[in-house]
């Protein structure tokens, strides 16, 4: 495990989590489980943790989290949905870093009541009014860290892929992507960028076409495949979070995808956190783990504990996962 990687995380009162702790995180971490057990929320908690190095980063990242998940970005319509119902304090932590968030309501005689958010990293604590947090003042502030990326479950915008591809070009890894694309589809020769007056367009050179074709003209699978592979190298020495990795990708390509992900994550020194709803995708992940002993992967199944009604996570080692997948265990991907 690389020094900057996370091998333990604790989450308290963030979204659906009351008290979740996970140990034994690896280079490539796959999160499975039924719907509504917090898989996406877990990615968001990890993102807040790894992308907030200074205290002010935390409040900016909270704002971006709220506006990304809520379709209407008008300040009056943004809700503080990152705190578990009926709670006022959130904590996300590892061994060396602790994020704390708390909502405080102040009522002073003859003064309009105000609500403040206190936010802290380790012992450095600050606060601001909720009105300011939900206003427009944070909208244009860019505190993004270059080697931390989040790929949502939706189809990636071509402009976002072009930015990720630019990072790959800077690292002189175009051959990696072209070789990987040919594994995915042997009709593909290479990917190309074409600059226009206002934008950058991605095209693919194909064996059966004389002229390169627009990436946008091809299917969602190739779009997601390119986005994932570019994002790994764009996250070199950092972190990549991918929600529902299987979206748009045909199940026959899952094993190829995992083989490339394991190799690229090791070469780029990138720690990945990935969710999946697909049993076939989880099976392919485990098959690659079993075939290649040097792969540093871990599978965690999220589920709601019947006795405590709390969401918890169980780490399944390779042989345990294989047994569960073949004997109708609790692993759920459908």
């Amino acid at each position: 495990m690389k020094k900057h990687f996370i091998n333990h995380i604790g989450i308290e009162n963030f979204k659906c989590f009351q008290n979740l702790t996970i140990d034994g995180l690896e280079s490539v971490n796959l999160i499975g489980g039924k719907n509504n057990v917090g898989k996406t929320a877990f990615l968001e908690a990890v993102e807040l943790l790894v992308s907030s190095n200074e205290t002010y980063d935390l409040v900016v990242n909270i704002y971006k989290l709220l506006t990304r998940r809520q379709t209407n970005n008008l300040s009056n319509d943004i809700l503080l949905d990152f705190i578990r119902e009926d709670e006022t304090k959130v904590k996300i932590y590892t061994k060396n870093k602790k994020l704390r968030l708390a909502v405080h309501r102040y009522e002073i005689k003859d003064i309009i009541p105000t609500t403040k958010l206190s936010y802290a990293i380790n012992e450095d604590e600050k606060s601001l009014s909720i009105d300011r947090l939900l206003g427009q003042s944070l909208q244009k502030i860019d505190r993004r860290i270059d080697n931390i990326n989040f790929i949502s479950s939706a189809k990636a915008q071509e402009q976002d892929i072009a930015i990720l591809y630019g990072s790959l070009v800077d690292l002189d890894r175009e051959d990696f992507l072209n070789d990987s694309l040919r594994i995915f589809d042997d009709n593909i020769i290479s990917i190309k960028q074409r600059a226009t007056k206002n934008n950058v367009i991605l095209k693919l050179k194909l064996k059966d076409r004389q002229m390169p074709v627009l990436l946008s003209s091809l299917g969602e699978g190739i779009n997601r495949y390119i986005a994932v592979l570019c994002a790994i190298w764009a996250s070199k020495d950092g972190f990549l979070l991918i929600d529902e990795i299987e979206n748009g990708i045909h199940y026959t390509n899952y094993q190829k995808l995992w083989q490339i992900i394991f190799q690229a994550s090791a070469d780029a020194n990138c720690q990945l956190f990935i969710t999946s709803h697909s049993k076939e995708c989880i099976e392919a992940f485990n098959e690659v783990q079993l075939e290649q002993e040097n792969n540093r992967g871990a599978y965690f199944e999220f589920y709601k504990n019947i006795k405590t009604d709390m969401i918890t996570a169980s780490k399944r080692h390779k042989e345990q996962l294989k047994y569960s997948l073949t004997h109708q265990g609790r692993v759920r991907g459908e």
Side-chain angles (χ1 to χ4, degrees), residues 54-271:
E54 298 180 15
T55 306
Y56 189 63
D57 296 338
L58 180 54
V59 71
V60 173
N61 289 331
I62 282 289
Y63 176 83
K64 290 181 177 179
L65 173 66
L66 293 173
T67 55
R68 183 175 68 200
R69 295 289 291 172
Q70 299 179 32
T71 55
N72 190 334
N73 289 344
L74 296 176
S75 60
N76 290 337
D77 295 325
I78 298 174
L79 303 176
L80 292 179
D81 67 350
F82 63 88
I83 301 179
R84 191 170 180 272
E85 189 176 4
D86 298 326
E87 299 290 345
T88 59
K89 296 181 180 180
V90 169
K91 185 164 67 173
I92 306 170
Y93 59 91
T94 60
K95 182 178 179 181
N96 299 316
K97 184 192 286 188
K98 182 187 295 182
L99 307 187
R100 290 179 288 115
L101 298 155
V103 174
H104 308 277
R105 183 175 175 83
Y106 296 92
E107 295 189 15
I108 302 175
K109 186 177 180 180
D110 299 329
I111 298 178
I112 298 174
T114 183
T115 304
K116 289 190 174 183
L117 176 74
S118 66
Y119 53 101
I121 298 181
N122 295 337
E123 302 307 316
D124 183 17
E125 182 173 353
K126 302 184 187 307
S127 67
L128 83 168
S129 71
I130 296 298
D131 289 341
R132 185 182 172 199
L133 171 68
L134 302 185
Q136 301 298 315
S137 60
L138 300 176
Q139 189 171 21
K140 296 182 179 180
I141 297 175
D142 186 5
R143 304 282 286 190
R144 181 179 176 274
I145 301 174
D146 288 338
N147 64 350
I148 297 174
N149 291 282
F150 190 110
I151 298 180
S152 74
S153 58
K155 181 179 178 181
Q157 297 295 315
E158 189 169 338
Q159 182 62 23
D160 294 332
I161 298 176
I163 292 170
L164 294 171
Y165 181 70
S167 299
L168 186 142
V169 171
D170 289 342
L171 293 167
D172 195 26
R173 292 289 175 169
E174 299 101 308
D175 288 345
F176 154 78
L177 182 59
N178 291 330
D179 291 343
S180 300
L181 288 173
R182 286 191 287 271
I183 293 172
F184 185 80
D185 184 343
D186 62 9
N187 191 43
I188 298 173
I189 297 174
S190 63
I191 188 169
K192 298 178 179 293
Q193 279 185 322
R194 181 176 182 273
T196 66
K197 185 176 181 180
N198 299 314
N199 213 333
V200 174
I201 297 173
L202 293 177
K203 292 189 171 186
L204 290 174
K205 178 66 177 173
L206 305 178
K207 290 180 181 179
D208 61 356
R209 300 286 185 92
Q210 185 174 355
M211 300 295 293
V213 301
L214 292 170
L215 171 60
S216 58
S217 69
L218 300 178
E220 184 178 345
I222 193 67
N223 172 291
R224 193 156 185 82
Y225 191 76
I226 292 173
V228 168
L229 299 185
C230 288
I232 291 175
W233 279 102
S235 308
K236 184 179 185 299
D237 299 321
F239 303 89
L240 174 60
L241 306 107
I242 307 172
D243 198 13
E244 298 180 22
I245 190 171
E246 71 276 6
N247 284 1
I249 297 178
H250 196 266
Y251 74 92
T252 57
N253 287 314
Y254 290 161
Q255 192 158 350
K256 299 175 187 176
L257 177 63
W258 284 119
Q259 288 169 344
I260 295 170
I261 284 176
F262 273 109
Q263 185 60 57
S265 66
D267 293 343
N269 187 35
C270 170
Q271 188 174 23

